[in-house]
Structures are given as structure tokens and as C-alpha cells.
Amino acid sequence: MSKQQQQPDYFEFYGLPIQFNPDQQEVKAKFYAFSKQYHPDFYANESEEKQEEVLTLSTLNNKAYQTLSNAKKRLRYVLELKGIVETDEGYQLPQSFLMEMMDINEALMDLQFEPDAEKLDEVRNNIASVEKELKGELENLMGQFDENPAAASEVLFAALKDNFYRQKYIDRIREKLVK
């Protein structure tokens, strides 16, 4: 949990509530305003200490924008910020999901030895179907949180965490397809 407490709160920095889907216009507006406010060139004649402070704020602004404007980075960030997911955490995926993925992985291994365009399309369709299901589930869960963050339950957080790790697994399979 200590890693989460050390992490800067980009939402606080931008004066926004913690949400999975913050208003992207507001995120962009804050980024541009702070980019001007904390541009190092405007502080060239200031003390070294002040220049360092401004550079730190400028870097924070860039990292905040990169994270909050990217859906996947933002998802991981909010989950880490809330202490739901930890860096390099070992997470046990549900057995039913792993069994479903085992079939896909076996098909991918078979395709390495015996390329078959039709079978590859079938595997891609299966993966796309799982991704679509996960995305729909995730949107629902994030919507529940964003509507009422104060009422977010352990059950909701557990479902978000599970969805996050299942999506990470699918992302790794997608990478195999590209190779």
C-alpha cells in the first residue's frame, strides 16, 4: 500500500474528482493552463530553487496529462491510487477465465506449427468477443464508481480489479497475435 501513498494525485493537481472517466475537455484545459503557467522559459531569471520547482511542476503536469488522457493508463492509475491494484502484484485469475484462455493459447500454439488463416481468424474473433465482453463489463463498473465514488464497495473494487487483470491477460495474447 505504501507505493500508492507516494504516488502524486493527478486528479488533485488538476482540481478534479477521482473518476475513471473524467471530463477530457477539463483535463486538456488544465494541461494547457499549467503548461503556460509552469513553462520553464518564463522562470529563466529566477533562482535555481524556483527553476527546479517549476520544472518539477511542469513534469508533473505532463505526466498527469499523459495518464489522465489515456484510458488504459488512467484505469491502472485510478486502481493504484485507490489501492485496488499494486505494482507487480501477483493476482490469481478466475479458473473459468483461465480455462477459456487455455483453449485460445492452445490454438495459438497449434497455429505456430501449422499456420491456418481460417483458424487464425477464428482465434481473433474469440479474442475480440472476450475483449468486447470485458469492455462492456468495465464500462458498467467504472460508471457505477463515477456516479457515486463514496458508495463504492469492496465488491465493486474486486470486480474492477478482476476485470483489469483479465484485460491485461488478453493484451498479452494480442501481443502474441502480432508476432
Side-chain angles (χ1 to χ4, degrees):
M1 218 39 138
S2 62
K3 287 183 184 178
Q4 282 75 27
Q5 293 161 350
Q6 295 170 355
Q7 192 171 42
D9 186 336
Y10 300 143
F11 290 99
E12 185 179 311
F13 181 66
Y14 279 173
L16 299 171
I18 295 174
Q19 293 182 312
F20 287 103
N21 295 300
D23 181 327
Q24 287 302 302
Q25 294 295 74
E26 279 187 60
V27 169
K28 194 178 284 188
K30 293 286 187 179
F31 171 71
Y32 286 124
F34 286 159
S35 290
K36 289 176 186 169
Q37 184 178 344
Y38 301 127
H39 197 286
D41 290 351
F42 296 139
Y43 297 86
N45 296 328
E46 295 288 335
S47 69
E48 198 174 305
E49 190 177 273
K50 183 66 174 176
Q51 287 180 23
E52 214 168 285
E53 177 189 332
V54 167
L55 186 59
T56 299
L57 289 169
S58 178
T59 301
L60 178 62
N61 184 42
N62 286 324
K63 287 181 179 177
Y65 182 71
Q66 288 170 4
T67 301
L68 298 184
S69 64
N70 178 296
K72 281 193 185 262
K73 287 181 181 179
R74 187 175 57 244
L75 171 63
R76 176 177 204 103
Y77 175 75
V78 172
L79 292 175
E80 286 178 352
L81 197 62
K82 287 290 185 182
I84 300 165
V85 167
E86 294 182 32
T87 308
D88 301 327
E89 169 183 21
Y91 180 74
Q92 184 62 48
L93 289 162
Q95 204 59 37
S96 58
F97 179 77
L98 291 173
M99 293 301 286
E100 187 179 354
M101 293 303 104
M102 189 170 78
D103 293 340
I104 289 174
N105 280 316
E106 284 176 2
L108 286 173
M109 282 185 1
D110 290 347
L111 285 167
Q112 285 179 341
F113 297 107
E114 293 179 39
D116 178 339
E118 199 173 299
K119 192 170 185 179
L120 180 60
D121 283 343
E122 185 181 319
V123 170
R124 283 190 173 128
N125 289 338
N126 287 344
I127 293 169
S129 172
V130 172
E131 283 177 316
K132 185 177 180 183
E133 187 179 315
L134 285 173
K135 185 178 182 196
E137 179 185 309
L138 180 63
E139 286 173 0
N140 178 18
L141 295 169
M142 290 188 311
Q144 289 178 47
F145 177 86
D146 287 353
E147 281 177 31
N148 193 354
S153 67
E154 291 299 315
V155 173
L156 177 62
F157 288 144
L160 281 160
K161 181 177 188 171
D162 183 67
N163 184 288
F164 172 77
Y165 280 108
R166 284 185 288 149
Q167 285 199 27
K168 276 185 69 166
Y169 192 97
I170 291 293
D171 288 346
R172 285 195 298 275
I173 289 177
R174 271 258 174 246
E175 288 172 13
K176 289 180 192 175
L177 278 176
V178 175
K179 292 179 183 176

